[in-house]
Amino acid sequence: MASKKTSHVFLALVIDLVLVVLFTVVGHYTHAHSLDLEGIVSTAWPFVTALVAAWILAAVWDRPLSPLKTGTAVWAITVLLGMVIRAVTGEGTAGAFIVVAASLNLLTLVGWRVIASATTRRGSRR
């Protein structure tokens, strides 16, 4: 049976991936008005790559549910590195896009951890 921490790490990885991919799918659809797989992959890969790097650099497995230590690091690295990759590959990095990407990813990548850590703390007090 997997330990509680192992299940938290796996859950955190799945949630982070789903949220980053969902962000890119919505963004791609908003601008391209289509859900073509090639366009979605083209939009998503810089941020998914950045998310993987963020997980390694932030050592997420140590504190997967921590909003401050882990969530903010994952958010900052994912957005910053994702934008760098987009710029290097000739994709758009307009100011408005940076603001939207930073805001939505802050809300999701840190926000779900705020909820999860509050729920986990409340459950452990019982």
Side-chain angles (χ1 to χ4, degrees), residues 10-31:
F10 179 74
L11 181 63
L13 178 59
V14 170
I15 291 171
D16 283 351
L17 281 169
V18 167
L19 291 172
V20 168
V21 169
L22 186 58
F23 158 72
T24 61
V25 168
V26 170
H28 178 75
Y29 182 79
T30 300
H31 294 283

Side-chain angles (χ1 to χ4, degrees), residues 9 13 16-17 47-64 69-70 73-75 77-78 81 113:
V9 170
L13 178 59
D16 283 351
L17 281 169
F47 293 102
V48 171
T49 301
L51 177 66
V52 170
W55 263 67
I56 293 166
L57 293 170
V60 174
W61 50 89
D62 285 340
R63 298 172 99 183
K69 183 175 189 296
T70 303
V74 168
W75 161 70
I77 295 166
T78 300
L81 186 56
R113 284 179 169 88

Side-chain angles (χ1 to χ4, degrees), residues 85-123:
I85 292 170
R86 284 182 60 88
V88 168
T89 60
E91 296 295 322
T93 55
F97 176 60
I98 294 170
V99 170
V100 169
S103 301
L104 289 175
N105 282 291
L106 174 65
L107 181 67
T108 58
L109 295 173
V110 176
W112 83 259
R113 284 179 169 88
V114 169
I115 294 166
S117 64
T119 303
T120 302
R121 275 194 302 270
R122 185 176 40 222

